[in-house]
Short mmCIF file of all heavy atoms in Angstrom, two decimals:
data_model
loop_
_atom_site.label_atom_id
_atom_site.label_comp_id
_atom_site.label_asym_id
_atom_site.label_seq_id
_atom_site.Cartn_x
_atom_site.Cartn_y
_atom_site.Cartn_z
N VAL A 304 -17.70 6.60 -14.43
CA VAL A 304 -18.45 5.90 -13.38
C VAL A 304 -19.02 6.88 -12.34
O VAL A 304 -20.09 6.65 -11.79
CB VAL A 304 -17.65 4.75 -12.73
CG1 VAL A 304 -16.55 5.24 -11.80
CG2 VAL A 304 -18.60 3.81 -11.98
N VAL A 308 -22.95 6.55 -11.65
CA VAL A 308 -23.52 6.31 -10.31
C VAL A 308 -24.56 7.38 -9.99
O VAL A 308 -25.66 7.07 -9.51
CB VAL A 308 -22.39 6.28 -9.24
CG1 VAL A 308 -22.96 6.40 -7.83
CG2 VAL A 308 -21.57 5.00 -9.37
N LEU A 312 -27.70 4.91 -10.23
CA LEU A 312 -27.80 4.34 -8.88
C LEU A 312 -28.44 5.31 -7.88
O LEU A 312 -28.81 4.91 -6.79
CB LEU A 312 -26.43 3.91 -8.37
CG LEU A 312 -25.79 2.68 -9.04
CD1 LEU A 312 -24.42 2.39 -8.44
CD2 LEU A 312 -26.67 1.45 -8.92
N PHE A 342 -24.23 5.32 -3.59
CA PHE A 342 -25.15 4.19 -3.43
C PHE A 342 -24.53 3.21 -2.45
O PHE A 342 -23.52 2.57 -2.76
CB PHE A 342 -25.33 3.56 -4.80
CG PHE A 342 -26.28 2.40 -4.92
CD1 PHE A 342 -27.65 2.61 -4.99
CD2 PHE A 342 -25.80 1.09 -5.04
CE1 PHE A 342 -28.53 1.54 -5.17
CE2 PHE A 342 -26.66 0.02 -5.21
CZ PHE A 342 -28.03 0.24 -5.27
N LEU A 344 -24.69 -0.06 -0.81
CA LEU A 344 -25.26 -1.40 -0.73
C LEU A 344 -24.21 -2.38 -0.16
O LEU A 344 -24.46 -3.08 0.81
CB LEU A 344 -25.71 -1.86 -2.13
CG LEU A 344 -26.35 -3.24 -2.25
CD1 LEU A 344 -27.70 -3.28 -1.52
CD2 LEU A 344 -26.57 -3.64 -3.72
N THR A 345 -23.02 -2.39 -0.76
CA THR A 345 -21.97 -3.35 -0.41
C THR A 345 -21.45 -3.13 1.01
O THR A 345 -21.31 -1.99 1.46
CB THR A 345 -20.80 -3.20 -1.41
OG1 THR A 345 -21.33 -3.42 -2.72
CG2 THR A 345 -19.70 -4.20 -1.14
N GLY A 350 -20.96 -8.64 -0.20
CA GLY A 350 -20.85 -7.97 -1.51
C GLY A 350 -21.84 -8.60 -2.47
O GLY A 350 -22.92 -8.07 -2.72
N SER A 351 -21.50 -9.82 -2.93
CA SER A 351 -22.40 -10.54 -3.85
C SER A 351 -23.70 -10.92 -3.16
O SER A 351 -24.77 -10.88 -3.74
CB SER A 351 -21.72 -11.81 -4.38
OG SER A 351 -20.60 -11.47 -5.15
N ASP A 352 -23.58 -11.29 -1.87
CA ASP A 352 -24.75 -11.77 -1.12
C ASP A 352 -25.46 -10.60 -0.45
O ASP A 352 -25.30 -10.34 0.74
CB ASP A 352 -24.29 -12.79 -0.07
CG ASP A 352 -25.45 -13.36 0.73
OD1 ASP A 352 -26.62 -13.11 0.35
OD2 ASP A 352 -25.19 -14.04 1.73
N VAL A 353 -26.27 -9.91 -1.24
CA VAL A 353 -26.94 -8.70 -0.75
C VAL A 353 -27.82 -9.00 0.46
O VAL A 353 -27.85 -8.26 1.45
CB VAL A 353 -27.78 -8.07 -1.89
CG1 VAL A 353 -28.65 -6.93 -1.37
CG2 VAL A 353 -26.88 -7.58 -3.00
N ALA A 354 -28.52 -10.15 0.40
CA ALA A 354 -29.46 -10.49 1.49
C ALA A 354 -28.73 -10.74 2.81
O ALA A 354 -29.35 -10.73 3.88
CB ALA A 354 -30.29 -11.70 1.10
N PHE A 375 -16.53 0.14 -0.21
CA PHE A 375 -16.33 0.26 -1.68
C PHE A 375 -17.41 1.13 -2.30
O PHE A 375 -18.01 0.75 -3.32
CB PHE A 375 -16.32 -1.13 -2.36
CG PHE A 375 -15.29 -2.08 -1.81
CD1 PHE A 375 -15.64 -3.36 -1.41
CD2 PHE A 375 -13.96 -1.70 -1.71
CE1 PHE A 375 -14.69 -4.24 -0.90
CE2 PHE A 375 -13.00 -2.56 -1.19
CZ PHE A 375 -13.37 -3.84 -0.79
N ILE A 376 -17.68 2.27 -1.71
CA ILE A 376 -18.78 3.10 -2.19
C ILE A 376 -18.24 4.23 -3.08
O ILE A 376 -17.65 5.21 -2.57
CB ILE A 376 -19.63 3.66 -1.01
CG1 ILE A 376 -20.02 2.51 -0.04
CG2 ILE A 376 -20.84 4.42 -1.54
CD1 ILE A 376 -20.80 1.36 -0.69
N THR A 377 -18.49 4.10 -4.36
CA THR A 377 -18.06 5.10 -5.36
C THR A 377 -18.70 6.45 -5.04
O THR A 377 -19.89 6.49 -4.67
CB THR A 377 -18.49 4.64 -6.76
OG1 THR A 377 -17.96 3.35 -7.01
CG2 THR A 377 -18.03 5.60 -7.84
N HIS A 397 -33.88 -11.35 2.68
CA HIS A 397 -34.03 -10.31 1.65
C HIS A 397 -35.34 -9.54 1.80
O HIS A 397 -35.43 -8.37 1.41
CB HIS A 397 -33.87 -10.89 0.24
CG HIS A 397 -34.98 -11.77 -0.23
ND1 HIS A 397 -34.99 -13.13 -0.04
CD2 HIS A 397 -36.12 -11.46 -0.88
CE1 HIS A 397 -36.09 -13.63 -0.57
NE2 HIS A 397 -36.80 -12.64 -1.08
N LYS A 398 -36.33 -10.16 2.41
CA LYS A 398 -37.62 -9.46 2.57
C LYS A 398 -37.59 -8.44 3.70
O LYS A 398 -38.55 -7.68 3.90
CB LYS A 398 -38.74 -10.48 2.81
CG LYS A 398 -39.08 -11.30 1.56
CD LYS A 398 -40.42 -12.01 1.72
CE LYS A 398 -40.99 -12.50 0.42
NZ LYS A 398 -40.39 -13.67 -0.15
N ASN A 428 -13.76 6.72 -3.50
CA ASN A 428 -14.36 5.47 -3.02
C ASN A 428 -14.05 5.30 -1.53
O ASN A 428 -12.90 5.11 -1.15
CB ASN A 428 -13.77 4.32 -3.85
CG ASN A 428 -14.52 3.03 -3.64
OD1 ASN A 428 -14.63 2.54 -2.53
ND2 ASN A 428 -15.04 2.46 -4.72
N PHE A 451 -34.64 -4.98 -1.12
CA PHE A 451 -33.94 -5.93 -1.99
C PHE A 451 -34.45 -5.78 -3.43
O PHE A 451 -33.67 -5.71 -4.38
CB PHE A 451 -34.14 -7.36 -1.50
CG PHE A 451 -33.28 -8.37 -2.21
CD1 PHE A 451 -32.02 -8.68 -1.73
CD2 PHE A 451 -33.72 -9.01 -3.37
CE1 PHE A 451 -31.21 -9.61 -2.40
CE2 PHE A 451 -32.93 -9.93 -4.03
CZ PHE A 451 -31.67 -10.23 -3.54
N MET A 452 -35.76 -5.71 -3.58
CA MET A 452 -36.35 -5.55 -4.90
C MET A 452 -35.89 -4.24 -5.54
O MET A 452 -35.54 -4.19 -6.72
CB MET A 452 -37.89 -5.60 -4.77
CG MET A 452 -38.66 -5.51 -6.06
SD MET A 452 -38.88 -3.83 -6.63
CE MET A 452 -40.02 -3.16 -5.42
N ILE A 453 -35.84 -3.18 -4.72
CA ILE A 453 -35.37 -1.88 -5.25
C ILE A 453 -33.92 -2.01 -5.72
O ILE A 453 -33.56 -1.61 -6.83
CB ILE A 453 -35.53 -0.76 -4.20
CG1 ILE A 453 -37.01 -0.49 -3.94
CG2 ILE A 453 -34.79 0.52 -4.63
CD1 ILE A 453 -37.30 0.57 -2.88
N MET A 455 -32.25 -4.64 -6.71
CA MET A 455 -32.14 -5.46 -7.93
C MET A 455 -32.66 -4.71 -9.16
O MET A 455 -32.07 -4.75 -10.23
CB MET A 455 -32.92 -6.78 -7.77
CG MET A 455 -32.35 -7.72 -6.75
SD MET A 455 -30.64 -8.17 -7.08
CE MET A 455 -29.82 -7.55 -5.62
N ASN A 456 -33.77 -4.01 -8.96
CA ASN A 456 -34.35 -3.23 -10.05
C ASN A 456 -33.38 -2.14 -10.51
O ASN A 456 -33.18 -1.91 -11.71
CB ASN A 456 -35.67 -2.64 -9.54
CG ASN A 456 -36.43 -1.89 -10.60
OD1 ASN A 456 -35.97 -0.82 -11.02
ND2 ASN A 456 -37.55 -2.41 -11.04
N LEU A 458 -30.11 -2.12 -10.06
CA LEU A 458 -28.91 -2.72 -10.67
C LEU A 458 -29.21 -3.19 -12.10
O LEU A 458 -28.34 -3.15 -12.97
CB LEU A 458 -28.39 -3.88 -9.81
CG LEU A 458 -27.68 -3.43 -8.52
CD1 LEU A 458 -27.53 -4.60 -7.55
CD2 LEU A 458 -26.32 -2.81 -8.83
N ASP A 459 -30.45 -3.59 -12.36
CA ASP A 459 -30.81 -3.94 -13.75
C ASP A 459 -30.58 -2.75 -14.68
O ASP A 459 -30.17 -2.91 -15.82
CB ASP A 459 -32.29 -4.37 -13.83
CG ASP A 459 -32.50 -5.80 -13.33
OD1 ASP A 459 -31.52 -6.54 -13.16
OD2 ASP A 459 -33.68 -6.16 -13.11
N SER A 461 -28.54 0.00 -13.85
CA SER A 461 -27.17 0.52 -13.79
C SER A 461 -26.17 -0.41 -14.48
O SER A 461 -25.13 0.04 -14.95
CB SER A 461 -26.76 0.76 -12.35
OG SER A 461 -26.60 -0.47 -11.69
N ARG A 462 -26.49 -1.69 -14.57
CA ARG A 462 -25.56 -2.61 -15.26
C ARG A 462 -25.49 -2.30 -16.75
O ARG A 462 -24.46 -2.58 -17.39
CB ARG A 462 -25.97 -4.07 -14.99
CG ARG A 462 -25.60 -4.49 -13.57
CD ARG A 462 -26.18 -5.83 -13.17
NE ARG A 462 -25.84 -6.13 -11.78
CZ ARG A 462 -26.47 -7.03 -11.03
NH1 ARG A 462 -27.48 -7.72 -11.53
NH2 ARG A 462 -26.09 -7.24 -9.77
N ILE A 465 -22.78 0.15 -16.92
CA ILE A 465 -21.43 -0.41 -16.78
C ILE A 465 -21.04 -1.11 -18.08
O ILE A 465 -19.88 -1.07 -18.51
CB ILE A 465 -21.32 -1.34 -15.54
CG1 ILE A 465 -21.66 -0.55 -14.26
CG2 ILE A 465 -19.92 -1.94 -15.42
CD1 ILE A 465 -20.82 0.69 -14.00
N PRO A 530 -41.12 -5.22 -18.08
CA PRO A 530 -41.12 -5.27 -16.62
C PRO A 530 -39.83 -5.86 -16.05
O PRO A 530 -39.35 -5.44 -15.01
CB PRO A 530 -42.33 -6.15 -16.28
CG PRO A 530 -42.81 -6.74 -17.55
CD PRO A 530 -42.22 -5.97 -18.69
N ARG A 531 -39.25 -6.87 -16.70
CA ARG A 531 -37.95 -7.42 -16.25
C ARG A 531 -37.04 -7.54 -17.46
O ARG A 531 -37.42 -8.08 -18.50
CB ARG A 531 -38.14 -8.81 -15.63
CG ARG A 531 -38.53 -8.85 -14.17
CD ARG A 531 -37.44 -8.44 -13.20
NE ARG A 531 -36.40 -9.41 -12.95
CZ ARG A 531 -36.44 -10.35 -12.01
NH1 ARG A 531 -37.49 -10.47 -11.24
NH2 ARG A 531 -35.43 -11.18 -11.84
N SER A 533 -33.58 -8.24 -16.64
CA SER A 533 -32.38 -8.59 -15.87
C SER A 533 -31.38 -9.35 -16.75
O SER A 533 -30.18 -9.12 -16.67
CB SER A 533 -32.74 -9.48 -14.69
OG SER A 533 -33.79 -8.92 -13.96
N LEU A 581 -15.85 -6.54 -11.56
CA LEU A 581 -16.07 -6.64 -10.11
C LEU A 581 -17.27 -5.84 -9.63
O LEU A 581 -18.12 -6.36 -8.90
CB LEU A 581 -14.81 -6.17 -9.36
CG LEU A 581 -13.52 -6.92 -9.72
CD1 LEU A 581 -12.31 -6.24 -9.09
CD2 LEU A 581 -13.60 -8.37 -9.25
N TYR A 582 -17.33 -4.53 -10.00
CA TYR A 582 -18.41 -3.75 -9.37
C TYR A 582 -19.76 -3.92 -10.08
O TYR A 582 -19.83 -4.44 -11.18
CB TYR A 582 -18.03 -2.30 -9.12
CG TYR A 582 -17.66 -1.33 -10.22
CD1 TYR A 582 -18.04 -1.46 -11.54
CD2 TYR A 582 -16.93 -0.19 -9.87
CE1 TYR A 582 -17.70 -0.50 -12.49
CE2 TYR A 582 -16.59 0.78 -10.82
CZ TYR A 582 -16.98 0.60 -12.13
OH TYR A 582 -16.65 1.54 -13.04
N GLU A 583 -20.78 -3.51 -9.35
CA GLU A 583 -22.18 -3.65 -9.78
C GLU A 583 -22.52 -5.11 -10.12
O GLU A 583 -23.29 -5.40 -11.03
CB GLU A 583 -22.50 -2.67 -10.91
CG GLU A 583 -22.14 -1.25 -10.48
CD GLU A 583 -23.00 -0.17 -11.03
OE1 GLU A 583 -24.06 -0.47 -11.59
OE2 GLU A 583 -22.62 1.00 -10.85
N GLY A 584 -21.91 -6.01 -9.35
CA GLY A 584 -22.10 -7.45 -9.54
C GLY A 584 -20.95 -8.01 -10.34
O GLY A 584 -20.70 -7.58 -11.47
N THR A 585 -20.24 -8.98 -9.75
CA THR A 585 -19.10 -9.60 -10.46
C THR A 585 -19.60 -10.31 -11.73
O THR A 585 -20.80 -10.54 -11.89
CB THR A 585 -18.44 -10.66 -9.56
OG1 THR A 585 -19.42 -11.67 -9.27
CG2 THR A 585 -17.91 -10.06 -8.26
N ILE A 588 -21.68 -13.23 -10.84
CA ILE A 588 -23.08 -12.89 -10.48
C ILE A 588 -23.90 -12.65 -11.76
O ILE A 588 -25.05 -13.09 -11.86
CB ILE A 588 -23.12 -11.65 -9.55
CG1 ILE A 588 -22.57 -12.01 -8.16
CG2 ILE A 588 -24.53 -11.06 -9.46
CD1 ILE A 588 -23.42 -12.97 -7.36
N GLN A 589 -23.30 -11.99 -12.75
CA GLN A 589 -24.06 -11.74 -14.00
C GLN A 589 -24.45 -13.07 -14.64
O GLN A 589 -25.56 -13.24 -15.15
CB GLN A 589 -23.26 -10.90 -15.02
CG GLN A 589 -22.67 -9.60 -14.49
CD GLN A 589 -23.66 -8.75 -13.73
OE1 GLN A 589 -24.81 -8.61 -14.11
NE2 GLN A 589 -23.22 -8.19 -12.61
N ILE A 591 -24.94 -15.86 -13.12
CA ILE A 591 -26.02 -16.46 -12.30
C ILE A 591 -27.36 -15.86 -12.72
O ILE A 591 -28.35 -16.57 -12.92
CB ILE A 591 -25.75 -16.23 -10.79
CG1 ILE A 591 -24.61 -17.13 -10.33
CG2 ILE A 591 -27.01 -16.48 -9.95
CD1 ILE A 591 -24.13 -16.85 -8.91
N VAL A 592 -27.38 -14.53 -12.88
CA VAL A 592 -28.63 -13.86 -13.27
C VAL A 592 -29.10 -14.38 -14.64
O VAL A 592 -30.27 -14.70 -14.84
CB VAL A 592 -28.44 -12.32 -13.30
CG1 VAL A 592 -29.66 -11.62 -13.90
CG2 VAL A 592 -28.15 -11.78 -11.90
N ARG A 595 -30.20 -18.19 -14.32
CA ARG A 595 -31.48 -18.37 -13.61
C ARG A 595 -32.65 -17.99 -14.51
O ARG A 595 -33.69 -18.62 -14.47
CB ARG A 595 -31.50 -17.51 -12.34
CG ARG A 595 -30.70 -18.13 -11.22
CD ARG A 595 -30.90 -17.33 -9.94
NE ARG A 595 -30.07 -17.86 -8.87
CZ ARG A 595 -29.94 -17.28 -7.68
NH1 ARG A 595 -30.59 -16.18 -7.40
NH2 ARG A 595 -29.17 -17.83 -6.76
N1 CAA B 610 -35.99 -7.29 -10.07
C1 CAA B 610 -37.01 -7.51 -9.19
N2 CAA B 610 -37.00 -8.53 -8.29
C2 CAA B 610 -35.92 -9.33 -8.25
C3 CAA B 610 -34.84 -9.15 -9.12
C4 CAA B 610 -34.90 -8.09 -10.07
N3 CAA B 610 -33.90 -7.87 -10.93
N4 CAA B 610 -33.90 -10.10 -8.86
C5 CAA B 610 -34.40 -10.86 -7.87
N5 CAA B 610 -35.62 -10.40 -7.51
C6 CAA B 610 -36.52 -10.96 -6.51
C7 CAA B 610 -36.73 -12.47 -6.77
O1 CAA B 610 -37.79 -12.65 -7.68
C8 CAA B 610 -37.07 -12.98 -5.39
O2 CAA B 610 -38.39 -12.63 -5.11
P1 CAA B 610 -39.33 -13.51 -4.11
O3 CAA B 610 -38.83 -13.30 -2.75
O4 CAA B 610 -40.69 -12.93 -4.32
O5 CAA B 610 -39.21 -14.92 -4.58
C9 CAA B 610 -36.17 -12.12 -4.50
O6 CAA B 610 -35.89 -10.93 -5.22
C10 CAA B 610 -34.89 -12.83 -4.09
O7 CAA B 610 -34.18 -13.13 -5.28
P2 CAA B 610 -33.02 -14.23 -5.34
O8 CAA B 610 -33.50 -15.49 -4.67
O9 CAA B 610 -32.56 -14.31 -6.74
O10 CAA B 610 -31.93 -13.58 -4.39
P3 CAA B 610 -30.44 -14.03 -4.03
O11 CAA B 610 -30.21 -13.76 -2.60
O12 CAA B 610 -30.16 -15.40 -4.56
O13 CAA B 610 -29.55 -12.93 -4.81
C11 CAA B 610 -28.25 -12.13 -6.65
C12 CAA B 610 -29.54 -12.80 -6.17
C13 CAA B 610 -28.40 -12.00 -8.17
C14 CAA B 610 -27.02 -12.94 -6.33
C15 CAA B 610 -28.16 -10.70 -6.03
O14 CAA B 610 -27.92 -10.78 -4.63
C16 CAA B 610 -27.09 -9.84 -6.66
O15 CAA B 610 -27.33 -9.22 -7.71
N6 CAA B 610 -25.87 -9.71 -6.05
C17 CAA B 610 -24.85 -8.81 -6.54
C18 CAA B 610 -24.89 -7.51 -5.83
C19 CAA B 610 -24.30 -6.35 -6.60
O16 CAA B 610 -24.44 -6.27 -7.82
N7 CAA B 610 -23.68 -5.43 -5.90
C20 CAA B 610 -23.16 -4.25 -6.53
C21 CAA B 610 -23.06 -3.14 -5.55
S1 CAA B 610 -23.30 -1.57 -6.26
C22 CAA B 610 -21.82 -1.04 -6.86
O17 CAA B 610 -20.93 -1.79 -7.13
C23 CAA B 610 -21.81 0.41 -7.15
C24 CAA B 610 -20.50 1.06 -7.40
O18 CAA B 610 -19.79 1.44 -6.51
C25 CAA B 610 -20.11 1.37 -8.78
#
Side-chain angles (χ1 to χ4, degrees):
V304 74
V308 165
L312 290 179
F342 182 79
L344 181 66
T345 302
S351 295
D352 181 10
V353 172
F375 303 128
I376 310 303
T377 304
H397 71 269
K398 289 196 164 75
N428 192 302
F451 189 90
M452 182 277 290
I453 293 178
M455 293 302 119
N456 184 291
L458 286 165
D459 282 347
S461 70
R462 285 171 183 161
I465 300 303
R531 275 289 284 272
S533 310
L581 303 171
Y582 61 23
E583 306 213 12
T585 61
I588 290 292
Q589 308 311 318
I591 287 172
V592 172
R595 282 187 183 174

